Amino acid sequence: MTANSLRRVPADTSAEHLTTETVLSDQAALLLLLQAWVDQRWLRAVDRSLVRTFARLRPETPPLALISIGLLSHRVGQGHVLLDLQELLADPNGHLSGERDRAPALLSPASLLAGQSIESLQTALKATDLVAEPDQANSTRAPVVLDGQRLFLFRYWQIERRIDQGVMDRLQSTLPADTSRLRTLLGQLFPATADADGPDWQKLACALATRTRFAVITGGPGTGKTTTVLNLLALLQAIAHDPEQGDGRALRIRLAAPTGKAAARLNESIAQKVGELDLSAISNGETIREAIPTRVETLHRLLGNIGDSGRPRHHRDNPLSVDLVVVDEASMVDEEMMANLFEALPPQARLVLVGDKDQLASVEAGAVLGSLCGRAAEGHYTPATVQWLMEATGEVIDSTLTDSDGTPLDQAISMLRQSFRFEAGSGIHALAQAINSGDVEVARATLASGEHNDLHKLLLRSPHDQALETLATAEEALPSFADYLNALSEQRPPADAERHDFDAWAQVVLKAHTRFQMLTALRGGDWGLRAINTRIARALNRAGLLKEEAQRSHWYEGRPVIVTRNDYGLGVMNGDVGITFRLPAEPGKSDSPMVLRVAFPAGDGSDAIHWILPSRLQHCETVFAMTVHKSQGSEFNHVAIVLPDTPSPILTRELIYTGVTRASEHCTLLIGDERVLNDAIGKRLNRATGLFERSGGGQSR
C-alpha cells in the first residue's frame, strides 16, 4: 500500500486500536488519531483542522508530511515560529502539550516517528506541493516552507524575511560622525562623576546608536532606558542642528510603544524628564529641548489602520514622514507588527528599539527583541568598534566584551548594566537577578532570609486561602485595593461640582489604583485570572469596600476594567485600564441624574480624563487581577503574584521575572507549592525562530 492511499478506516475503529503502519498509510486514520490528541488536549482543534483542510485539498499528501505540518501548527500556537525536524526527532512527545500518561494506549508522536530520519521527513514533505523550498516559496506561495531541516508556515517565513531585510538594510552603512564633536556633546550630556564604577553604558549606548540607522538598547528595570533614550534624542537633535554635521533641520521623531498602557506610562515619564534634561552646556540647548517629542503613541496608531481591516495605512508605498522612530517595550512587539514597521519606514530613517530582553516575549509567535539580544550580555564588539567608542566617549570597555568575529548586528546593540531603581540590599532586585540567572538556590534563600522588607512570601493551602483575600482588602501596611476604593468614596466631589473637579477626582483614584496590582500566571482554573477576580470582588464586598450593587450588577462603581481589543472609535487600546465611577450626567447641575462612567487616563501625560459609557465598552474584563502578560509595560508600588500548586508549560523564568520586576517597592509571592516556583525558575522560554541569521543573530529565545 502506498503512502498516499486514501482507504478509510472502518467507522467503528477506536483511536486506541490504531497502529503506526495504519496511521502512516491512511489519512483518515491519521485524522482519527489527531482528534483523540485534541480530546486529550495534547493538540489544538485548529491544528487538526489545518491538517484536515490540507488532506482534502491534496489527498496525495503523505500522512508523515501532514503529521509534521500539524505539529508545526501546534508549535506556532506555543509561540515558536518554526519546527526543527532534528529537534522533533530528538523529542517527539515534547512537541505536544500536556502529559501523555493520561492516555497511554494512544499512539504518541514518539511511536509514529520511531525509525524516521530527517531525510525521510524531508522526502515526505517534498512529495506535496503544499510545501515549497525557499527559492520557490514566493513564486508558488505554498502554505508551508521547508528551509533545510526547518519547517515554517509561509506567512511567518515571509514575515521573518521582511524583518531580516529591514535590519540588514540599516546595518550596511556606518553613518559619518565627527568623533571629537561627538565626544564633546556626550561629555555635556553625561558629565563624569567621581564615584563612577566602570564605564558609563548610557553614554556608550548613545554613541553606538549614532553609527547606524538601526540600534537596540536593552536593560533590566531601573537601568535608565528612558533617560538614555532622551539623551540620545538630544544628542541626535544637536548633531542635526550643527551646520558642520547636519542640515540645520530638526529631526522628525516619533515615539511609540506596543500597547496603550505602555504608551501612557512612557508619556508620563517623558513629559517630566524632558523638562529635567540639563542642556545648559549645549549650544541652542532650549531649541533642542523643544525639538524632543513628549507624545508617545501606540504602534497601531503610528502605522494607522484602514477601517477594521487591520491593514496598516503606512507601508512601503506610503511611508511615514519621519527621520527616527523609537519603540519602547520592544519585547512585546510581535513579528508581524515589526515587519510592518520596517516596511513603513523610509530608507533614510533610523529605528531604535528599547526594552528588557529578559521579559516575556510577545503573545504572538516569535521573540524579536530576545532574538536580537541573544549575544548582548557578552558584547561581541570588534576591536574597531571598541577603538571608535574610546575615541567618541572616552570610556574603556572591558576586554571580555571584545570579539574579532563580532557581527554587524552585535555592533548595534547596547546593554545597560547598572540598576538605579533599587537601593543596595533590595530584595526585589536580588530576587530578579537570581530568577534571571536561573539560580533556584539563591532565589529560595532570598525569599526565605527575612532580611528584605520589600519582599514577602505567603504559602497558600488552597486557591481559596483567606490570606489572598486579606492581602487584597487590607487597609493598613502594604498598599492594597483599599487604597483606590477609599479614595473613590472619601474624595468624591459634591454633586454640583464642575467637570474639572470630577476629572481631578478620577486622577487621584486612578493613581491610587496603580499602587497595588494582583497578577496571575494562568487565565483558567482555580488559580487563574477568572477565579481570582471573582474571589477578590466577593472579598471586597464583604469588607464593605464595594457598594451592594456590586453583588447584583455586572457594572458597578469601583469596578476596574482592562480593554482587551483596540477600539479606535472610542480611543482606547488593548491593555488600557479604567475605573468605573458614579457621577452626574451633567456635572455642575445639582439635579442631574447619577450615571456610571468609566474613566481612562488620556495617555498623553496630561491630567485629562477620557470618560466612556460602560455600554460602549464591548471588549473589556474586570481587572482586580491581571495576567503577568498583560502587566508588561506597567509599574506598581506593590505587586502580588499568584502561582498555582501544579506545574504548567506557561510557568517559566521569564514569566516570574516579568511579574517580580513590575514592583517598585513591594513584591509578594502567593505560592501554592514552592516546587512549582523552583521548576519555573529553572525553565527558560526557548522560542524557535529563524531571525537574524544573515545579520549575525538567529538565537532561539
Side-chain angles (χ1 to χ4, degrees), residues 80-108:
H80 304 278
V81 174
L82 59 88
L83 175 70
D84 187 297
L85 300 182
Q86 183 174 353
E87 292 180 2
L88 172 62
L89 293 176
D91 182 19
N93 287 351
H95 285 62
L96 290 186
S97 300
E99 300 293 331
R100 251 68 60 199
D101 57 7
R102 288 190 305 168
L106 283 176
L107 284 173
S108 68

Side-chain angles (χ1 to χ4, degrees), residues 470-537:
T470 300
L471 179 69
T473 58
E475 297 194 47
E476 296 179 357
L478 299 179
S480 70
F481 294 124
D483 287 40
Y484 91 88
L485 291 170
N486 285 333
L488 184 70
S489 61
E490 294 170 4
Q491 301 198 35
R492 184 187 307 276
D496 59 353
E498 298 297 329
R499 173 64 178 268
H500 62 80
D501 295 314
F502 289 100
D503 286 357
W505 175 42
Q507 281 287 348
V508 169
V509 174
L510 285 164
K511 185 173 182 179
H513 183 263
T514 65
R515 296 191 66 207
F516 176 71
Q517 183 61 57
M518 193 164 285
L519 305 179
T520 65
L522 311 177
R523 286 192 63 86
D526 287 344
W527 297 88
L529 179 72
R530 300 180 187 91
I532 297 297
N533 267 317
T534 299
R535 199 166 302 130
I536 295 305

